[in-house]
Amino acid sequence: MSDCLFCKIVRGDIPADKVYESDGVIVFRDIDPKAPVHLLAIPHEHYSGIHEIPDTDMDIMKRVNSAVSATVKQENLDKEGYRLVVNYGTISGQAVPHIHVHILSGRPMDWPPG
């Protein structure tokens, strides 16, 4: 999708503070962090929500999860803890309609999160 912010990051049209990149996934620092550590993991492929991925392409989420796992280890987030968040739609707070996983850490997290 040509006007999608995250697609522009994937194409290199917009810079991002990347912390990890591998196998069709980029992890970068959120420009409006909600925690001391706030990273976003995005696949190169554009889908607004997980439910839009065809069964034949579900390997996308395996690659995203693998990148998240590698990133939390690389950034030592596995020592104190972290929260993963995936939103879909405006009611959930999704600001960019491109699948992404928020990786939040560096402070206590309340529950429920809403």
Side-chain angles (χ1 to χ4, degrees):
M1 180 177 265
S2 63
D3 61 340
C4 170
L5 176 67
F6 290 168
C7 288
K8 290 178 181 178
I9 290 172
V10 167
R11 288 193 308 264
D13 297 344
I14 295 176
D17 185 4
K18 297 177 187 176
V19 297
Y20 184 87
E21 186 167 12
S22 176
D23 198 20
V25 179
I26 300 171
V27 182
F28 57 93
R29 298 189 190 288
D30 194 305
I31 61 169
D32 184 24
K34 305 303 181 202
V37 177
H38 188 168
L39 308 172
L40 299 173
I42 65 168
H44 287 192
E45 299 88 352
H46 179 90
Y47 292 102
S48 295
I50 293 170
H51 65 281
E52 295 180 355
I53 303 172
D55 288 343
T56 56
D57 214 7
M58 201 49 77
D59 189 54
I60 291 169
M61 293 312 297
K62 180 179 178 183
R63 289 184 283 124
V64 169
N65 286 338
S66 180
V68 167
S69 177
T71 300
V72 299
K73 292 172 188 170
Q74 171 187 297
E75 300 295 311
N76 294 312
L77 304 179
D78 56 329
K79 307 300 183 231
E80 292 290 323
Y82 57 90
R83 175 175 286 171
L84 303 179
V85 177
V86 178
N87 298 313
Y88 173 76
T90 55
I91 194 170
S92 74
Q94 184 184 28
V96 179
H98 184 119
I99 294 171
H100 56 284
V101 176
H102 296 262
I103 306 167
L104 302 156
S105 188
R107 67 167 172 80
M109 304 284 165
D110 293 330
W111 194 261

